[in-house]
Amino acid sequence: MSAPDPTTGPAEPAAVDPARLRVLVVDDMQLMRDMAAAMLRAQGIGTVETCDDGAAALAALDRIAAAGLTCDLMLLDLNMPGMDGIEVLRHLAERGYEGQIALFSAESARVLRTAETLARAHNLNILGFVEKPLTDIAIAGLLRKLATGGARAVIDADEPLSEAELLDGIRLGQIEIMVQPKVAMATRQPVGVEALARWRHPQRGVIGAGQFIPLAENGAAAEPLFEAILGLALRAAAHWRAEGLSLQMAVNLSTANLTRLDLPQRIASAVSEHGLRPGDIVLEVTESRLIEDQTAALEVLTRLKLKGFNLAIDDFGTGYSSLEQLQRFPFEEMKIDRQFVGMAAQDQAARAIVSSSVRLARKLGMTTVAEGIETRLDWDCAAEQGCDVAQGYFVAPPLKPEALPGWIATWLSRRD
Ligand code: C2E
Ligand code: CA
Ligand code: CA
């Protein structure tokens, strides 16, 4: 048996068979679409689909997902009548599109770079950009990058995620946070952000919270995952504070966290190590999780409260506990679930749930946050029902922490 050769570097990423890749070309000009598709096929790409506008592209993605398949690369034209490329990027972010994107445009490199920055702020995977007219060399370069950096879809994507894999990911620093702003409805002023966890997996791409938080719910990963997320959130909050931005930072707590009686002390130490105060932090707990282990949860929450942390009841209205149970827990904030907020403008029953939640919150001295404000109509309706704070795609999607200061400037100058 020969010893490993010390002169060779890390192994090259496994080459991806182009025949297994699916590429979606989105351009309003037929000539461009046909040219790009022909070039992609000539390079061995197995499936090439074309769409003539943004709406068609989103529909195609839905169709692909419904068939249990993935789109590995979208070649996206920025200038299109109707829904333009920038708007498509926002929709892709909302849908948690995990494939790669290459921006495709006759615009100047500066415009393309701005679009790229925006896409990255949305946590989308941008492979690069290609200027028009397309060349074989540009396409080949793009596919080379796809085969190495963006090989996500081909590597064991069918294998379910495991707790062991998550523990490795935490250890290797693959957990990240996005921050979603909350703004006061009366003044539009940003009042805080919520940290939302993401897992930047080297093979599977960016994995959303819904897919991996449950893996940690009661097992060995619960503690290290929470520590990692809390650390990232506190670091971001401390950084903004140093720059003169004072925003509350909200972090989600899981059931497993709530049964750990040493949690209040651990959070308090971490907060003070970052030069922050407990009043700068909001801890969000869901109503349904609360009822699972009432005694421990009540003790943990009461001690957090005594230390000066703000507590929020999350997804309000979806749990099974009766409304009176709210009185037993010392919450400052009620987050009204997006299923009611999102329906309130059209549906009278949803509107009634929102308005009675607001009334109850007021009686108990709590602030209300309307979750899932997606449109101006949702905003107006939530404001009319008396909600204090808004959160949702209409205000901002979850952003990379470094994109927050830029977002604030844009938001405060927006007039819609
Ligand atoms: P949540 O705490 O209710 O967070 C809000 C979720 O709604 C986020 O999904 C956010 O991206 C999404 N969202 C925000 N605005 C809108 C909107 O206008 N429309 C729609 N349709 N959705 C919107 P995300 O990040 O995938 O998180 C899902 C859930 O996973 C969270 O729900 C939370 O319960 C849990 N989670 C996320 N991060 C963490 C974490 O760090 N720790 C724990 N324990 N749970 C987390
Ligand atoms: Ca939450
Ligand atoms: Ca929520």
Side-chain angles (χ1 to χ4, degrees), residues 211-238:
Q211 281 176 270
F212 70 92
I213 294 289
L215 286 179
E217 216 36 1
N218 290 305
E223 294 286 307
L225 182 60
F226 177 71
E227 297 280 337
I229 294 164
L230 181 69
L232 292 167
L234 295 178
R235 211 165 66 212

Side-chain angles (χ1 to χ4, degrees), residues 180 194 197-198 209 229 252 314-315 338 371-372 374 392-393 398:
Q180 189 177 32
E194 174 179 4
R198 299 287 181 268
I229 294 164
N252 291 281
D314 207 350
D315 304 341
R338 64 166 189 261
E371 296 192 311
E374 292 187 354
Y393 298 155

Side-chain angles (χ1 to χ4, degrees), residues 93-158:
E94 286 168 7
R95 286 154 186 251
Y97 171 68
E98 291 175 354
Q100 297 283 339
I101 300 163
L103 301 171
F104 180 38
S105 173
E107 289 291 346
S108 70
R110 215 178 118 240
V111 172
L112 286 170
R113 262 196 300 278
T114 310
E116 186 183 12
T117 308
L118 179 80
R120 291 204 199 281
H122 281 317
N123 211 16
L124 291 165
N125 301 312
I126 295 289
L127 199 55
F129 42 84
V130 274
E131 287 175 50
K132 289 182 184 176
L134 259 190
T135 62
D136 276 322
I137 294 175
I139 288 281
L142 210 56
L143 294 179
R144 226 179 3 259
K145 276 208 228 166
L146 183 65
T148 50
R152 176 198 60 80
V154 188
I155 299 179
D156 277 342
D158 300 336

Side-chain angles (χ1 to χ4, degrees), residues 230 234-235 238 241 264-281 307 309:
L230 181 69
L234 295 178
R235 211 165 66 212
R241 179 134 313 214
Q265 188 48 50
R266 282 186 12 243
I267 303 182
S269 307
V271 166
S272 84
E273 271 163 30
H274 283 83
L276 298 166
R277 290 166 300 122
D280 302 330
I281 309 300
K307 289 186 185 298
F309 290 100

